[in-house]
Amino acid sequence: MAGPTTAEHGAHKPPNTGDGSARSPLGGAPRGRLRVPGPRSLLIALAVALLGAATIWVLYGSPWLRAERVRTTGTDELSEREVEAVAAVPLGTPLISVDTDAIEARLRDKLPRVDSVEATRSWPHGIDLKVTERQPVLLLKKGSNYVEVDAKSVRFATVDPLKAPKRVPVLELAADGSPSLKRFGSDRLVAEAVRVRADVPASVAADTRVIAVRSYDAISLELSGDRTVVWGSSEDGAAKARSLVALMKAAPKARHFDVSAPTAPSVSDS
């Protein structure tokens, strides 16, 4: 069989570019030549590199953006000096390198009164600490002092009676002989008392002096004016609150109220 003709040989030869290099059959750039960046591209790359180096130096090496002050807000019982001592902000270091997460962790771990804290950079020289303190909703008797308990059932501070917050009910745990103590433990019973405290209507909460827990389902309130409320368990708290408000309106001079069964509440004068 005859071989390819001269025309066929020529059909497969890459086109000549005119400068001695062969162009790809697909029409791309000439093969065998490297594309050298032009002066403009080199200048742009150099400017980007210099800008990056300058930014790093300004943030980490210059004296302009360093931590020089700490500002604390939101404290009440805690002092600003106490918070800032525990925060241990490394003054004089680059502001960008200050570990704000570590500062927050130290404050939560070492100051139980801190419920939450937010540490933020305040350019060009500051660290701001926004503190939210725990607020007591109950006072648990401990020896001659009281332990403050917050709305999350966290026992966070011990205070003497003279410094105990006013108008915060005292929690009396009198469940020593109750099976509830063995079954649930004291922490659970404290949590149940906190739930009751949250459900007590505002008009009654102001007069509540003591919340007594004798078992899981035997919780009662002692109010001013020698009045008492049998609450029962912490279940159905909203219904019990409504029943209590209705009873007090219907019998304003009564001294004893029972809302342990909110659908069948009762009231008595003695």
Side-chain angles (χ1 to χ4, degrees):
M1 186 176 187
T5 65
T6 301
E8 290 172 335
H9 276 296
H12 296 287
K13 183 178 179 180
N16 195 312
T17 61
D19 58 1
S21 62
R23 183 176 295 277
S24 167
L26 298 179
R31 292 181 298 182
R33 300 184 64 191
L34 294 177
R35 185 165 183 172
V36 179
R40 183 177 180 182
S41 298
L42 291 174
L43 288 175
I44 292 175
L46 180 60
V48 170
L50 290 175
L51 179 61
T55 300
I56 293 173
W57 180 81
V58 168
L59 291 175
Y60 291 94
S62 77
W64 304 328
L65 302 177
R66 295 189 174 263
E68 297 178 359
R69 64 163 181 80
V70 181
R71 183 178 63 180
T72 301
T73 59
T75 56
D76 185 15
E77 295 296 325
L78 294 170
S79 68
E80 294 180 9
R81 180 177 296 180
E82 184 179 9
V83 170
E84 291 167 12
V86 173
V89 176
L91 298 178
T93 60
L95 193 60
I96 190 68
S97 67
V98 175
D99 190 341
T100 54
D101 290 339
I103 292 173
E104 294 172 356
R106 282 196 296 272
L107 289 171
R108 288 192 299 266
D109 292 343
K110 297 183 179 181
L111 295 177
R113 190 176 287 277
V114 172
D115 184 21
S116 64
V117 59
E118 184 179 0
T120 57
R121 298 178 183 85
S122 179
W123 300 94
H125 302 299
I127 292 292
D128 289 347
L129 304 176
K130 184 178 179 181
V131 176
T132 301
E133 294 184 2
R134 298 184 187 276
Q135 299 300 319
V137 298
L138 292 174
L139 297 173
L140 178 61
K141 188 76 173 177
K142 182 180 180 182
S144 59
N145 296 320
Y146 292 104
V147 176
E148 293 179 309
V149 182
D150 75 352
K152 300 175 184 176
S153 305
V154 175
R155 308 178 198 188
F156 62 91
T158 300
V159 294
D160 64 54
L162 296 178
K163 295 183 179 180
K166 306 301 182 183
R167 307 187 75 83
V168 175
V170 173
L171 169 59
E172 289 185 355
L173 278 179
D176 291 344
S178 170
S180 295
L181 185 61
K182 294 182 179 180
R183 180 180 178 185
F184 299 107
S186 62
D187 289 346
R188 174 66 183 276
L189 296 182
V190 169
E192 294 303 306
V194 169
R195 287 183 60 187
V196 171
R197 170 65 182 83
D199 287 332
V200 172
S203 58
V204 180
D207 293 331
T208 303
R209 300 292 180 263
V210 175
I211 296 182
V213 180
R214 293 173 177 79
S215 69
Y216 175 84
D217 54 0
I219 300 174
S220 61
L221 315 178
E222 296 180 16
L223 311 180
S224 60
D226 197 26
R227 296 171 296 165
T228 60
V229 178
V230 177
W231 193 271
S233 71
S234 65
E235 299 174 2
D236 300 322
K240 292 175 181 180
R242 290 192 296 268
S243 294
L244 181 59
V245 170
L247 284 179
M248 288 184 164
K249 287 183 178 180
K253 296 183 179 181
R255 296 176 60 190
H256 302 290
F257 307 87
D258 189 337
V259 293
S260 56
T263 56
S266 62
V267 63
S268 66
D269 294 332
S270 59

